[in-house]
């Protein structure tokens, strides 16, 4: 993505968004990994936490969707 920044300055925003989504996915994984047999009472809270994390990741991607569309258009029409 770094090479694209010269032609498409918003590429850094996409890179940051991808990093944020990756971090959020890792946090969700860690939340679920903390559950062990016998901790069933913690399951609803863990699922609620993961739902919030996934919602945040989705919101992050939705925020950069227009940038991603422009980048895709630029790459497709590039000669």
């Amino acid at each position: 993505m770094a090479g694209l920044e010269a032609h498409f300055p918003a590429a850094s925003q996409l890179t940051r968004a991808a990093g944020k989504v990756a971090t959020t996915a890792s946090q969700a994984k860690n939340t679920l990994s903390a559950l062990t047999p016998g901790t069933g009472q913690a399951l609803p809270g863990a699922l609620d936490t993961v739902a919030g994390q996934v919602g945040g990741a989705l919101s992050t991607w939705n925020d950069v969707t227009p940038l991603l569309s422009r980048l895709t258009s630029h790459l497709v029409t590039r000669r």
Side-chain angles (χ1 to χ4, degrees):
M1 293 292 272
L4 285 174
E5 289 184 24
H7 301 287
F8 192 74
S12 63
Q13 289 178 281
L14 294 172
T15 301
R16 283 192 303 276
K20 185 176 178 181
V21 169
T23 298
T24 302
S26 178
Q27 291 169 344
K29 178 185 174 280
N30 291 339
T31 298
L32 294 175
S33 294
L35 295 174
T36 59
T39 60
Q41 292 176 339
L43 181 61
L47 292 177
D48 188 49
T49 298
V50 169
Q53 291 165 326
V54 169
L58 181 60
S59 178
T60 298
W61 272 128
N62 285 338
D63 291 345
V64 296
T65 296
L67 297 173
L68 187 57
S69 293
R70 285 196 301 272
L71 175 61
T72 302
S73 174
H74 175 76
L75 292 174
V76 167
T77 58
R78 185 176 165 200
R79 295 176 195 219

